[in-house]
Amino acid sequence: MNPKFILRNYMAEEAIRAVDAGDYRLVNELSALLRHPFSEHPEHQHYAGEIPDWAGWISLSCSS
């Protein structure tokens, strides 16, 4: 069985930007979500789908 929710690069980027602005709410939200990646989280379905258009440029390599 595969998890429904995994930490994706764009999610981490959003959280980092929020923390840089002094807002830790998204970090706390993602932390709670990712503790139970196999559970249904209706309020977070947007994290189970496709990446947002703005995040298409984010990529990592093995050497990152």
Side-chain angles (χ1 to χ4, degrees):
M1 176 169 22
N2 293 324
K4 184 169 187 173
F5 300 97
I6 59 171
L7 181 62
R8 301 188 66 184
N9 294 338
Y10 82 90
M11 295 161 68
E13 179 68 23
E14 287 179 330
I16 290 166
R17 289 180 183 187
V19 167
D20 281 346
D23 183 356
Y24 288 81
R25 288 178 293 185
L26 186 54
V27 168
N28 294 330
E29 181 179 309
L30 291 174
S31 179
L33 172 67
L34 297 171
R35 274 191 224 113
H36 304 283
F38 296 94
S39 300
E40 291 296 323
H41 299 275
E43 68 279 15
H44 298 297
Q45 288 304 306
H46 57 283
Y47 290 128
E50 295 295 319
I51 66 168
D53 290 338
W54 68 265
W57 64 270
I58 299 174
S59 65
L60 297 175
S61 70
C62 295
S63 62
S64 292

